[in-house]
Amino acid sequence: MKLAMIGLGRMGGNMAHRLVQHGHEVVAYDRDLAAVAEAAKNGATGVSSLTELPAQLPSPAIYWIMLPAGEITENVMREVGELARPGDIIVDGGNSFWKHDLARAAWLKERGLILIDVGVSGGVWGLDRGYCMMIGGDDAAVKHIDPILQALAPGLGDIPRTKRPSTESAWQAEMGYVHCGPAGSGHFVKMVHNGIEYGMMQAYAEGFDILKQRGKDDLPDNMRFDLNLSDISEVWRRGSVISSWLLDLIAIALANDQSLSKYSGRVADSGEGRWTIDAAIEEAVPVDVLAAALFARFRSRVEFSYADQLLSAMRHGFGGHVEMPQ
């Protein structure tokens, strides 16, 4: 298939590259012309403006927007909506707030256009590993772009299959993507995914902080352990009930530097954690762990700990996120 990829940053650039590797044609645009040149080097067709895109695409055109949530996505969505032809499909693959999807879908529908919202997890590793995707939107439109979703998804890999009824949606979920429901549902599910991620990261960070503090000089000699955190993270990766990709990233970070000296521990939150808590309040669902994990990030901005340094290391590991400025 042929599509436009708008936004060629840490995620969009690798996604464009992966699609080309799987035989799709990508027309690539970014305000950063160096990013466009890099995409062209990887096999995409680069353009220097959004207005060049419609002439490059068959009907119905597919515009995949891969930009940070917020005003920039809104502005680009509006601009693409003005350029697109009736029947065209606009995909928002960023971490947009799901309620914004509802308004955008309604605005695009008035123009005869279709919005698909795709929550994407995979970070900077997605080029090789593939991307887990949670999708919201019109059934027919989602089915139309299925070859693109298959190319981006991780595939079955070596993960054991769960014994359950064999259906089309079950097969897609095993491949690493799922159509959650109407517009907004994909980003809603991704929002909760990221809220859970906050809690998991916080649990790891606090646990390793306990291990590290056991080596403090003010403890009695017989109660002080100089623990090798790199070895511990490595052994937990192998057969432990708490093994995970996040633990893999911890092991990588600690293998390089157990002190995590390049991380100050000033931990950002990108919005999804707050939105998850808001949804929990709307639904009267108690989310003690997720709320505490979010508040811990707020606290990290005034008082840092080893746990916060490990949080920063994990965020950098999976998403290439840099720490907040002082």
Side-chain angles (χ1 to χ4, degrees), residues 18 121 126 128-133 149-157 159 172 174-177:
R18 184 175 174 90
S121 182
D128 297 320
R129 292 171 57 112
Y131 301 88
C132 172
M133 291 172 290
L149 301 173
Q150 285 192 42
L152 290 171
L156 188 62
I159 299 174
Q172 289 176 338
E174 287 183 332
M175 293 301 106
Y177 66 106

Side-chain angles (χ1 to χ4, degrees), residues 48-176:
S48 58
S49 71
L50 288 173
T51 56
E52 297 177 55
L53 292 175
Q56 298 268 1
L57 300 172
S59 184
I62 303 167
Y63 300 88
W64 191 299
I65 299 173
M66 204 66 203
L67 295 167
E71 186 176 355
I72 184 171
T73 294
E74 181 68 27
N75 292 341
V76 171
M77 183 82 66
R78 291 277 171 174
E79 191 169 350
V80 172
E82 298 288 347
L83 294 169
R85 303 176 290 261
D88 288 352
I89 298 168
I90 299 175
V91 181
D92 180 3
N95 281 329
S96 291
F97 183 37
W98 67 276
K99 289 184 178 179
H100 293 167
D101 293 325
L102 306 183
R104 290 168 181 166
W107 180 80
L108 291 171
K109 186 176 181 180
E110 292 175 356
R111 305 185 61 80
L113 305 172
I114 303 165
L115 175 69
I116 297 176
D117 56 288
V118 181
V120 180
S121 182
V124 294
W125 300 71
L127 175 60
D128 297 320
R129 292 171 57 112
Y131 301 88
C132 172
M133 291 172 290
M134 296 135 271
I135 303 143
D138 173 78
D139 288 351
V142 173
K143 195 175 292 288
H144 180 72
I145 70 166
D146 189 72
I148 294 169
L149 301 173
Q150 285 192 42
L152 290 171
L156 188 62
D158 58 0
I159 299 174
R161 304 182 76 170
T162 304
K163 292 182 179 179
R164 60 191 188 125
S166 179
T167 63
E168 182 180 5
S169 66
W171 178 84
Q172 289 176 338
E174 287 183 332
M175 293 301 106

